[in-house]
Amino acid sequence: MTRVLLFGASGFIGTHVRRALESDPRITEVECPGRATYDLLHGTPEGLAALLRTSAPDVVVTCVGALAGSVGQLVAANTVVAAKLLDAAATAAPRARLVRLGSAGEYGVVPKGVAVTEEQPTRPVSAYGVSHLAATRLFQLAGESGQADAVSLRVFNPIGPGMSEENLLGRAAARIRHAVAGGVPEITLGPLSAYRDFVDVRDVAALVVAVSLAPQLRYRVFNVGSGRTVTARDAIELLAAMAGYGGRIRETGTGPQRSTAVDWIQADVSRARRELGWAPGRDLATSMKDILAAEEAR
């Protein structure tokens, strides 16, 4: 039976991770400290160590991180948080498994048509990708050396109910909903030609559970994707069709700096399938339907 300490439980991915953890009968307790209890981003290492000693978790999961911001903000939210957790756990919870969410942005530009494995060379092309790669590498080194039972999950493009407008499909869903409600003939988004691997957030959460409960881990990095790729344009046109929106979708400007240079990304998820018995269970249409239902409920 397993006790889990979960940071970032109120965020998009964290909300679904909490649900998945709490619904598994093998997990006895899921403790989700809010920022008032301990702020993983701004709190002191001593405060984190004290929390770990009090909680005595078997697994610590962090869904804390930043998608955008200055270089310093990205490093603080993605890299320093991971380092802080490794340092505190070394003395306060040395037997706990540490699980963090990384990003496909760690790979950078990859050959078109190739599904990337975890052994793909990592050459991030943005501060966002670098900040996640540094954190993943710290976890990898700690795990391989035996200093910590640490593992990173490289999440590709998470989608699903509750996603924010920081995410392309979340932004598109909100604009399509407003356009349908107001009879607006056109919405504007950034460039949509890039190929992306959209993975349902509930499948991401299922892998967090699987890696948290695995008796042993042979690897310290796992891809979390759907194993399929479509253009962002095709995904948004499907979303619009399912929402009953027949207006124009105009592409203008540039995409987010963290992914503009990456025209193609697709996950090879065979490691997680083979080692953990995990596989993505929801197709793109199912995710889209649930995104729209969540938008309508807002």
Side-chain angles (χ1 to χ4, degrees), residues 59-84:
V59 180
V60 181
V61 177
T62 172
C63 298
V64 174
L67 285 171
S70 67
V71 173
Q73 288 169 331
L74 290 167
V75 169
N78 299 330
T79 313
V80 175
V81 158
K84 187 186 299 184

Side-chain angles (χ1 to χ4, degrees), residues 114-196:
V114 173
V116 294
T117 72
E118 292 84 352
E119 304 306 317
Q120 175 78 22
T122 47
R123 300 187 180 95
V125 293
S126 68
Y128 169 78
V130 169
S131 68
H132 267 298
L133 178 58
T136 291
R137 188 62 183 140
L138 289 172
F139 262 48
Q140 195 174 22
L141 288 170
E144 291 172 350
S145 68
Q147 294 175 352
D149 186 4
V151 60
S152 288
L153 307 182
R154 281 188 178 135
V155 183
F156 279 61
N157 295 85
I159 62 172
M163 63 198 308
S164 77
E165 293 190 33
E166 279 190 304
N167 182 298
L168 171 63
L169 286 187
R171 189 159 57 251
R175 292 181 186 178
I176 287 169
R177 175 170 60 88
H178 290 307
V180 169
V184 178
E186 178 181 281
I187 64 170
T188 301
L189 295 166
L192 303 175
S193 61
Y195 286 81
R196 293 290 179 256

Side-chain angles (χ1 to χ4, degrees), residues 26 156 263:
R26 296 167 293 179
F156 279 61
D263 294 327

Side-chain angles (χ1 to χ4, degrees), residues 87-101:
D87 285 345
T91 57
R95 296 184 180 178
R97 175 166 294 163
L98 310 179
V99 183
R100 68 172 296 275
L101 301 184

Side-chain angles (χ1 to χ4, degrees), residues 223-241:
N223 285 340
V224 195
S226 70
R228 301 179 300 271
T229 188
V230 298
T231 64
R233 183 179 300 115
D234 286 344
I236 289 172
E237 286 176 354
L238 174 62
L239 185 69

